[in-house]
Amino acid sequence: MFNASGVEGRAAQVAAQLKDAGWQVAAVGNLGSRPRATVVRYGTGAEPQARALAGLLPGARVAPRAKTPPGVVDLVIGTGFTRVRTSGGVPVQRGESRASDEVCERVA
């Protein structure tokens, strides 16, 4: 994973979020260039993983790269990066109670 956003620590922050989501992150580093687009680059055989990762990054592009080893996915975080998309959980239905809600009344 490469930070090209110009924001110090961005790669480490995104790596932690992706690890929490179950992704394996091998290493983080910085790039000197500052592309606007966030790009998920992939080597031979890794297009499905690249597309899945890009689905978590609003506006990310997916591109094959000959220099990326087979089976490997590289993430380049551009200056236009906004966030890592989360699943958002289960939507609340009208009138439903959740385990975190206080639904019991105290009986005196």
Side-chain angles (χ1 to χ4, degrees):
M1 174 178 312
F2 300 99
N3 182 10
S5 70
V7 177
E8 188 174 332
R10 174 72 40 95
Q13 174 192 29
V14 172
Q17 290 174 306
L18 291 175
K19 284 179 182 178
D20 286 347
W23 288 83
Q24 179 181 345
V25 178
V28 297
N30 294 305
L31 289 180
S33 62
R34 299 282 183 257
R36 171 127 179 86
T38 294
V39 181
V40 181
R41 306 182 302 197
Y42 63 92
T44 304
E47 184 176 1
Q49 295 86 348
R51 293 205 177 280
L53 178 57
L56 299 176
L57 309 165
R61 295 182 312 149
V62 177
R65 183 170 183 252
K67 291 183 179 181
T68 301
V72 173
V73 173
D74 284 334
L75 171 60
V76 177
I77 303 167
T79 60
F81 175 82
T82 56
R83 64 186 172 94
V84 174
R85 187 178 284 139
T86 59
S87 66
V90 178
V92 176
Q93 301 297 316
R94 183 181 301 186
E96 109 179 334
S97 297
R98 299 254 172 154
S100 60
D101 296 339
E102 291 184 30
V103 295
C104 297
E105 294 180 22
R106 188 174 188 169
V107 179

